[in-house]
Amino acid sequence: MSEKFRGLSPAEFFHRNREIAGFSNPARALYQAVRELVENSLDATETHGILPFIDVEIRLHEERPEWVVLRVADNGIGIPLSEVPNVFGRVFYGSKYVVRQTRGVFGLGVKMAVLYAQMTTARPIYVKSSPINSRYVGEYLLYIDISRNIPHVQKMRIKKKTKNWHGTIVKLTLEGSWVQAKKRIEDYIRRTALISPYATIRYRSPDGELIFKRVSRELPQPPEIGKYHPRGVDVEVLKELIRATNNASEVTLLEFLVKHFEGVGEKKATEFLQWSGFSPDTKLTELKLADLEVLASKMKTFPGWRRPRPLTLSPLGADLLKKGVKSILKPEFVAAVTRPPSSYSGHAFIVEAAIAYGGEIPPQDTVMLLRFANKMPLLYDEGVDVSRKIIDSIDWSIYKVKLPAPVAVVTHVCSTKIPFKGVGKEAIADVPEVEHELEIAIRDVARRLRAYLSRMEKLYEVKRKEVTIRKYMGEVSSALAYIVNRDPEEINALIEELLKKELAKKEVRPDVVSES
Amino acid sequence: MSEKFRGLSPAEFFHRNREIAGFSNPARALYQAVRELVENSLDATETHGILPFIDVEIRLHEERPEWVVLRVADNGIGIPLSEVPNVFGRVFYGSKYVVRQTRGVFGLGVKMAVLYAQMTTARPIYVKSSPINSRYVGEYLLYIDISRNIPHVQKMRIKKKTKNWHGTIVKLTLEGSWVQAKKRIEDYIRRTALISPYATIRYRSPDGELIFKRVSRELPQPPEIGKYHPRGVDVEVLKELIRATNNASEVTLLEFLVKHFEGVGEKKATEFLQWSGFSPDTKLTELKLADLEVLASKMKTFPGWRRPRPLTLSPLGADLLKKGVKSILKPEFVAAVTRPPSSYSGHAFIVEAAIAYGGEIPPQDTVMLLRFANKMPLLYDEGVDVSRKIIDSIDWSIYKVKLPAPVAVVTHVCSTKIPFKGVGKEAIADVPEVEHELEIAIRDVARRLRAYLSRMEKLYEVKRKEVTIRKYMGEVSSALAYIVNRDPEEINALIEELLKKELAKKEVRPDVVSES
């Protein structure tokens, strides 16, 4: 009956539980590895103002048919050479634990790919990196020492740069079911290209080569590194910030709030402290745990905070979103909206939504959903995503949509921290604030669809009348021509003119159908 | 452009990403906390041969209406007092990282509850534990030092036992939305009681008290701690086992296999080594990494391994499963099956499935699904569960099920390691081996349902004929009575007897409908 207790390193934990990070079988693992590498490459480029060029290559291993060699190269800022081993060889390590919108966030994905490669093929990862501000290029062969969660560098070579290239190249050999994964991988690359129209992506696979050339050289404003937003900060965040303050016995609560929180100046901080009953001159060290709990709780509920500024975020914008939707679905109607910034638990977020009708959208029993998060397409686990939950809860007949109908909803959540349900980054959790914003956005575009469908109904009505009139027009004009003794052709032309005039009053012009 | 790199402790990681463990909002967090504590209590009792008595209490905090006080007490084996701080205060720590079927597996759940409590209410967890083989009882107030992932014990009191009680009591104060969570929590408790009919569960909440008394004192055979199964072991597992071998330069490959793997005796090991081209006398230290890769790959594909013995597992059995289904759904037909043990990646598993038809099952457009894993009901994220995937891929008309129909499928996966998709333990990933077994099990019970529905069709046919015969029976017997000059009543009785005899030949007897 005596039980043995022990601890696991994070690498051991994820080696044992790799399904959690999306590495559940050879097909899914290959897809996930591609994703993690491509997303790191996009983060290393556009987040730093560089127009991305990403080169993805998948080839089958010559000797072992169940093995796949995956290579991804980018023109990003590179990785400081001293950091390369930890970035690839230590779970929960990275540069993205800051308040800024990036695709990567967990410090886990690429390590999972390394873990999966070494456990299935026993091959180390090859990394070549040329940091943008360095005169050196480094090459590494490394794997993860799982029980200690540290990188083990098998080979390393540092050279002076001979050409001006900067960026990172990663090569992995892993067990992967290419045949089963290829459709998803191509979908993923295609949708990534559409949501990042300023990127050039070259994709070579056993099926051939695809090149998605950038259609725009206009890079969205890169996100800045920001501070926590005060609404929703919890006790532990406060404790951590105070612990990291050097001279806590001299710093006042007022100074603390101004220094650490987004959109909090002296005036706003004073206003809050008065409202919450704290003295602005209280020193940090005078605050007890119970005080911190009250402070956090007051910070959550204070109605006066400014909305977070979107500097840390990089949304697409309604126009780009519409362009993307049009190019994928070629709909007869599209509407899009970008909501103002909001926040949950100190993280700013912006929700965007689009709705599309007709065109190449097949009529379906449910509303079709395309999901994006921080410009990443989400292809798996739709059934548990907050967007699906909202769409399924909506009575679509309110919006004149009678299912089955050719309707697609596109959602895009940008945040300094997307509340993913799993570390595989496939579904967004139903955090109340995010759910609320998404519902507003979806209902907003749905209302515009209703307006369009109403106009279409009227147009249809008018068309129906036109058909009826035309049916009897020949007879009527003959009769009239006989009565007034004129040429029937002439009468016909007059009636035709009259009809056109009347119809024009009720016509819906095609250029009205796309609005934002 | 210079990026700052850093590492996170596991506790920091899960504090930042609590949605991943199911703590996404106050309602879900309360549900999840109840689950984690109840499942720990069941593991501490039945896994060790003790008939469980679990006492769950939820009450609203007197001063703060958004706070909930949760208390769970059990009569389990208790926790060694020296381990209490780590068990509750260190993420990735526990006694369940062994080859044995338990509800807990990650060493994470209860720590998440502690983390969530301290970040929302700043209150430490209260733990009282009385280990079964100890003369002492310990009481603790503790929280987690998040940045270092270590327990911080605020208060501790160790006393000599004065009564013979053994077990653990845990009390937490956390933000929780009782009103929103209560339906799910009650569902969870109810379904837990049904799948553990040997447990008594007392559940007190603001809505009143429910007691689920054990209906059986028969405890299933507790699972034993086992070894890895050789099929599917990966290179990293081999490396770790060799690393842990003291005298690796003296141990032969043959000895290594016999010592560490399930169902591998000397004969089987010799057979495998011959098949795979390794010499049985090779010393462990002579094996290079490339050799280990080949060894792992051969171990995966060797067709001669024995199926894992189910000693590490504790399935319900088809009978108990049927009883459970009958008591929940009161169906007119039920069939259940327990599959033989199988394995994936060195983990034994057993799949059980039941199908039920009619009774209290409402007719639905899709087949209703009730999922269990290691005797835990899974209530969330059905949309991404492997069982749902299989059910949706089946053409049910093959089984004479015309949807909408009152059909429910119950699946139960038992394993030394359930391949959960997330650490919230709500959905099972589509690991090929598990998916395969589940599909066989579901199709097996579906075939039995088809047989039942066919009989019902025939019965209906016979009934239809009977109705037709009865319609004319009066007239016929009058006519016959007239011809043979007998009493019409007498003739009628004779025909009735004949009809009954004929019908009995085709009748489906009610006791045939339940099969296993």
Side-chain angles (χ1 to χ4, degrees):
Chain A
M1 278 208 194
S2 107
E3 298 276 287
K4 273 189 196 149
F5 292 79
R6 72 178 186 106
L8 288 188
S9 85
E12 281 181 294
F13 180 81
F14 284 104
H15 173 234
R16 296 170 75 103
N17 301 296
R18 50 195 169 272
E19 308 83 20
I20 288 166
F23 289 77
S24 51
N25 60 54
R28 181 75 189 263
L30 178 57
Y31 163 81
Q32 197 74 24
V34 169
R35 245 198 98 161
E36 300 292 356
L37 297 185
V38 168
E39 286 163 11
N40 278 353
S41 287
L42 285 165
D43 279 346
T45 47
E46 71 156 295
T47 308
H48 301 277
I50 299 168
L51 284 170
F53 178 83
I54 320 281
D55 187 18
V56 183
E57 186 189 11
I58 292 174
R59 56 183 180 76
L60 306 182
H61 194 272
E62 283 104 34
E63 289 151 38
R64 300 283 288 263
E66 75 277 24
W67 288 6
V68 168
V69 182
L70 168 63
R71 181 184 177 277
V72 176
D74 66 55
N75 60 336
I77 58 165
I79 298 154
L81 298 186
S82 61
E83 298 287 357
V84 168
N86 277 330
V87 164
F88 291 92
R90 195 175 142 198
V91 171
F92 298 160
Y93 190 90
S95 62
K96 295 171 189 171
Y97 300 130
V98 290
V99 179
R100 180 179 55 182
Q101 172 182 333
T102 46
R103 293 172 178 79
V105 57
F106 294 122
L108 179 65
V110 74
K111 288 80 158 179
M112 284 306 303
V114 176
L115 264 177
Y116 193 81
Q118 78 185 54
M119 61 169 271
T120 55
T121 71
R123 301 296 161 101
I125 185 175
Y126 166 84
V127 180
K128 180 175 183 175
S129 196
S130 171
I132 193 164
N133 292 323
S134 161
R135 291 183 300 143
Y136 296 93
V137 182
E139 285 181 284
Y140 302 79
L141 276 180
L142 66 86
Y143 58 84
I144 301 176
D145 180 335
I146 294 180
S147 63
R148 295 193 291 166
N149 190 32
I150 55 169
H152 180 100
V153 178
Q154 207 173 55
K155 255 190 195 168
M156 178 173 90
R157 191 165 51 181
I158 311 277
K159 289 190 299 186
K160 276 216 166 175
K161 280 190 193 178
T162 54
K163 47 181 185 173
N164 209 15
W165 171 73
H166 56 82
T168 303
I169 298 171
V170 174
K171 204 162 105 178
L172 282 168
T173 306
L174 69 162
E175 196 181 305
S177 179
W178 157 247
V179 173
Q180 280 181 274
K182 65 183 190 179
K183 205 195 150 298
R184 289 269 186 177
I185 293 173
E186 201 186 305
D187 266 13
Y188 172 79
I189 301 262
R190 206 174 279 280
R191 282 171 62 179
T192 299
L194 285 163
I195 206 87
S196 315
Y198 40 79
T200 291
I201 304 178
R202 181 183 183 201
Y203 173 52
R204 287 173 290 171
S205 79
D207 280 2
E209 181 169 330
L210 288 172
I211 295 189
F212 300 90
K213 284 203 179 141
R214 63 176 62 89
V215 293
S216 156
R217 296 188 64 82
E218 219 176 293
L219 209 56
Q221 187 67 26
E224 290 173 16
I225 294 179
K227 303 175 189 176
Y228 278 107
H229 189 270
R231 184 168 299 135
V233 154
D234 68 62
V235 190
E236 288 299 327
V237 171
L238 291 181
K239 270 164 75 180
E240 186 52 39
L241 290 172
I242 291 173
R243 202 172 3 229
T245 305
N246 278 328
N247 49 347
S249 62
E250 288 162 38
V251 176
T252 67
L253 196 44
L254 182 77
E255 289 163 345
F256 175 76
L257 291 175
V258 171
K259 184 174 174 202
H260 287 291
F261 295 98
E262 165 73 24
V264 180
E266 248 178 68
K267 200 178 143 220
K268 187 55 79 181
T270 309
E271 190 189 325
F272 164 71
L273 290 170
Q274 204 157 22
W275 177 85
S276 58
F278 281 92
S279 157
D281 301 323
T282 311
K283 299 288 187 293
L284 292 185
T285 42
E286 291 165 28
L287 292 165
K288 298 203 177 59
L289 187 59
D291 300 327
L292 290 181
E293 187 279 310
V294 174
L295 183 64
S297 154
K298 295 283 183 191
M299 285 174 80
K300 266 187 206 167
T301 47
F302 179 57
W305 300 124
R306 292 195 191 94
R307 281 202 161 202
R309 290 171 307 162
L311 296 176
T312 53
L313 304 179
S314 180
L316 277 176
D319 276 347
L320 201 58
L321 187 54
K322 275 202 298 190
K323 272 182 200 154
V325 173
K326 279 182 190 166
S327 74
I328 320 174
L329 301 171
K330 318 245 185 310
E332 61 176 80
F333 171 82
V334 61
V337 66
T338 298
R339 294 279 309 153
S342 185
S343 79
Y344 79 94
S345 303
H347 299 282
F349 71 92
I350 288 178
V351 159
E352 305 184 287
I355 203 161
Y357 187 90
E360 291 184 3
I361 305 165
Q364 290 176 104
D365 287 338
T366 53
V367 171
M368 182 177 163
L369 173 62
L370 299 176
R371 298 168 297 136
F372 294 89
N374 284 358
K375 299 178 190 162
M376 298 180 284
L378 309 183
L379 271 68
Y380 283 92
D381 298 355
E382 177 180 312
V384 294
D385 192 281
V386 60
S387 292
R388 185 80 255 170
K389 180 183 164 190
I390 294 166
I391 287 175
D392 288 348
S393 74
I394 287 176
D395 174 4
W396 285 92
S397 67
I398 297 175
Y399 301 107
K400 294 197 174 283
V401 172
K402 283 162 206 127
L403 295 167
V407 182
V409 166
V410 179
T411 58
H412 181 215
V413 179
C414 293
S415 178
T416 50
K417 192 184 145 274
I418 302 277
F420 285 117
K421 294 190 83 159
V423 288
K425 297 190 286 190
E426 288 295 355
I428 298 177
D430 52 351
V431 171
E433 295 89 337
V434 176
E435 184 169 347
H436 181 67
E437 280 292 314
L438 272 169
E439 180 158 359
I440 293 178
I442 293 170
R443 288 195 182 270
D444 183 348
V445 291
R447 265 190 300 274
R448 301 189 204 185
L449 175 61
R450 178 177 55 195
Y452 169 73
L453 293 176
S454 292
R455 284 199 303 274
M456 286 297 108
E457 257 178 24
K458 277 183 202 136
L459 183 65
Y460 178 76
E461 186 64 17
V462 170
K463 284 271 173 214
R464 212 177 50 78
K465 280 188 185 154
E466 186 187 343
V467 167
T468 313
I469 291 170
R470 285 195 190 287
K471 202 170 157 188
Y472 300 104
M473 209 161 81
E475 219 165 303
V476 170
S477 46
S478 300
L480 279 174
Y482 177 78
I483 292 166
V484 298
N485 199 19
R486 293 270 191 98
D487 182 12
E489 286 297 310
E490 197 185 332
I491 298 292
N492 213 41
L494 282 167
I495 295 179
E496 182 74 35
E497 203 177 302
L498 205 68
L499 188 63
K500 270 194 187 142
K501 220 163 138 189
E502 283 302 307
L503 285 175
K505 286 184 194 161
K506 295 179 176 168
E507 184 77 73
V508 179
R509 298 209 318 278
D511 60 356
V512 182
V513 302
S514 163
E515 38 169 296
S516 59
Chain B
M1 276 205 196
S2 107
E3 298 277 285
K4 272 190 197 149
F5 292 79
R6 71 176 187 108
L8 288 188
S9 85
E12 281 181 294
F13 180 82
F14 283 103
H15 173 233
R16 296 172 75 103
N17 302 296
R18 50 193 169 273
E19 307 81 20
I20 288 166
F23 288 77
S24 51
N25 59 53
R28 181 75 187 261
L30 178 57
Y31 164 81
Q32 197 73 26
V34 169
R35 242 198 100 162
E36 301 292 357
L37 297 186
V38 168
E39 286 163 11
N40 278 354
S41 288
L42 286 166
D43 278 346
T45 46
E46 73 156 292
T47 308
H48 302 277
I50 299 167
L51 283 170
F53 177 83
I54 320 281
D55 187 17
V56 183
E57 185 189 12
I58 292 175
R59 56 184 178 78
L60 307 181
H61 195 272
E62 283 103 35
E63 289 149 39
R64 300 284 288 264
E66 75 276 24
W67 288 7
V68 167
V69 182
L70 168 64
R71 181 183 178 278
V72 176
D74 66 53
N75 60 335
I77 59 164
I79 299 155
L81 298 186
S82 61
E83 299 287 358
V84 168
N86 277 330
V87 164
F88 291 93
R90 196 175 142 198
V91 171
F92 298 159
Y93 191 91
S95 63
K96 295 172 188 171
Y97 300 130
V98 291
V99 180
R100 178 180 54 183
Q101 171 183 335
T102 46
R103 294 172 177 80
V105 57
F106 294 122
L108 179 65
V110 74
K111 288 82 157 177
M112 285 305 305
V114 176
L115 265 175
Y116 193 81
Q118 77 185 56
M119 62 169 273
T120 55
T121 70
R123 301 295 162 100
I125 184 175
Y126 167 84
V127 180
K128 180 174 181 175
S129 197
S130 171
I132 193 164
N133 292 325
S134 161
R135 290 183 302 143
Y136 296 92
V137 182
E139 284 180 285
Y140 302 79
L141 276 181
L142 65 88
Y143 58 84
I144 301 177
D145 179 337
I146 294 181
S147 63
R148 296 192 291 166
N149 190 31
I150 54 169
H152 180 99
V153 178
Q154 209 174 55
K155 255 190 194 167
M156 180 173 91
R157 191 166 51 183
I158 311 275
K159 289 190 298 187
K160 276 216 165 171
K161 281 190 194 179
T162 53
K163 48 181 183 172
N164 209 15
W165 172 72
H166 56 83
T168 303
I169 298 170
V170 173
K171 203 162 104 180
L172 283 167
T173 305
L174 70 161
E175 197 180 306
S177 178
W178 157 248
V179 172
Q180 280 182 274
K182 66 183 190 177
K183 205 194 150 297
R184 289 270 186 176
I185 294 173
E186 199 185 306
D187 265 14
Y188 171 78
I189 301 262
R190 205 175 280 280
R191 281 171 63 179
T192 299
L194 285 163
I195 207 86
S196 314
Y198 40 80
T200 291
I201 304 178
R202 180 185 182 197
Y203 172 50
R204 286 172 292 170
S205 78
D207 279 4
E209 182 170 333
L210 287 171
I211 295 188
F212 301 89
K213 285 203 179 143
R214 64 176 62 88
V215 293
S216 155
R217 296 189 63 85
E218 218 176 292
L219 211 56
Q221 187 68 24
E224 289 174 19
I225 295 180
K227 303 175 189 177
Y228 278 107
H229 190 269
R231 184 168 298 135
V233 155
D234 68 61
V235 191
E236 288 299 328
V237 171
L238 291 181
K239 269 163 75 179
E240 186 51 40
L241 289 173
I242 291 173
R243 203 172 2 231
T245 305
N246 278 327
N247 49 345
S249 63
E250 289 163 39
V251 176
T252 67
L253 196 43
L254 183 76
E255 289 163 345
F256 174 76
L257 291 175
V258 170
K259 182 173 176 202
H260 287 290
F261 297 97
E262 166 71 25
V264 181
E266 249 178 68
K267 200 177 145 222
K268 187 57 77 178
T270 309
E271 190 190 324
F272 163 72
L273 290 170
Q274 202 156 25
W275 178 86
S276 58
F278 282 91
S279 156
D281 301 323
T282 311
K283 300 287 187 294
L284 292 185
T285 42
E286 291 167 27
L287 291 165
K288 298 203 177 60
L289 188 57
D291 300 326
L292 290 182
E293 188 280 308
V294 175
L295 182 63
S297 153
K298 295 282 184 192
M299 284 172 81
K300 267 186 205 165
T301 47
F302 180 58
W305 299 125
R306 292 195 191 95
R307 282 204 160 198
R309 289 170 307 160
L311 295 176
T312 54
L313 304 179
S314 180
L316 277 177
D319 276 346
L320 201 55
L321 188 53
K322 275 201 299 189
K323 271 182 201 155
V325 173
K326 280 183 190 166
S327 73
I328 318 174
L329 302 171
K330 320 247 183 311
E332 60 175 81
F333 171 82
V334 61
V337 64
T338 299
R339 295 277 311 152
S342 185
S343 79
Y344 79 94
S345 303
H347 300 282
F349 71 91
I350 287 178
V351 158
E352 304 184 287
I355 203 162
Y357 187 90
E360 291 182 3
I361 306 166
Q364 289 176 105
D365 288 338
T366 52
V367 170
M368 181 178 164
L369 174 63
L370 299 176
R371 298 169 296 137
F372 294 89
N374 284 0
K375 298 179 193 162
M376 297 180 284
L378 309 183
L379 271 67
Y380 282 91
D381 297 355
E382 178 179 314
V384 294
D385 192 281
V386 59
S387 291
R388 184 81 254 169
K389 179 181 164 191
I390 295 165
I391 286 176
D392 287 347
S393 74
I394 287 176
D395 174 4
W396 284 92
S397 66
I398 297 174
Y399 301 108
K400 295 197 173 283
V401 172
K402 283 163 208 128
L403 294 168
V407 182
V409 167
V410 179
T411 59
H412 181 216
V413 179
C414 294
S415 178
T416 50
K417 193 184 143 277
I418 302 278
F420 285 116
K421 295 191 83 162
V423 287
K425 298 190 286 188
E426 287 295 356
I428 297 177
D430 52 352
V431 170
E433 295 90 335
V434 176
E435 185 169 347
H436 181 69
E437 280 292 315
L438 272 169
E439 181 158 359
I440 293 177
I442 293 171
R443 287 195 183 271
D444 183 348
V445 290
R447 265 190 299 276
R448 299 189 206 184
L449 175 61
R450 178 177 56 196
Y452 169 71
L453 294 175
S454 294
R455 283 197 305 273
M456 285 299 109
E457 259 178 22
K458 278 184 202 137
L459 182 64
Y460 178 76
E461 187 64 17
V462 170
K463 283 272 174 213
R464 212 177 49 77
K465 281 188 185 154
E466 185 187 343
V467 167
T468 313
I469 291 170
R470 283 195 192 287
K471 202 169 156 186
Y472 300 105
M473 208 162 82
E475 221 165 303
V476 171
S477 45
S478 299
L480 280 174
Y482 178 78
I483 292 165
V484 300
N485 198 18
R486 291 271 191 98
D487 181 11
E489 287 298 310
E490 195 184 335
I491 297 292
N492 212 40
L494 281 168
I495 295 180
E496 182 73 36
E497 201 176 305
L498 205 67
L499 186 64
K500 271 194 185 142
K501 217 163 142 188
E502 283 303 307
L503 286 174
K505 285 184 193 161
K506 294 178 181 170
E507 184 78 72
V508 179
R509 295 208 320 276
D511 61 356
V512 181
V513 302
S514 162
E515 39 169 297
S516 58

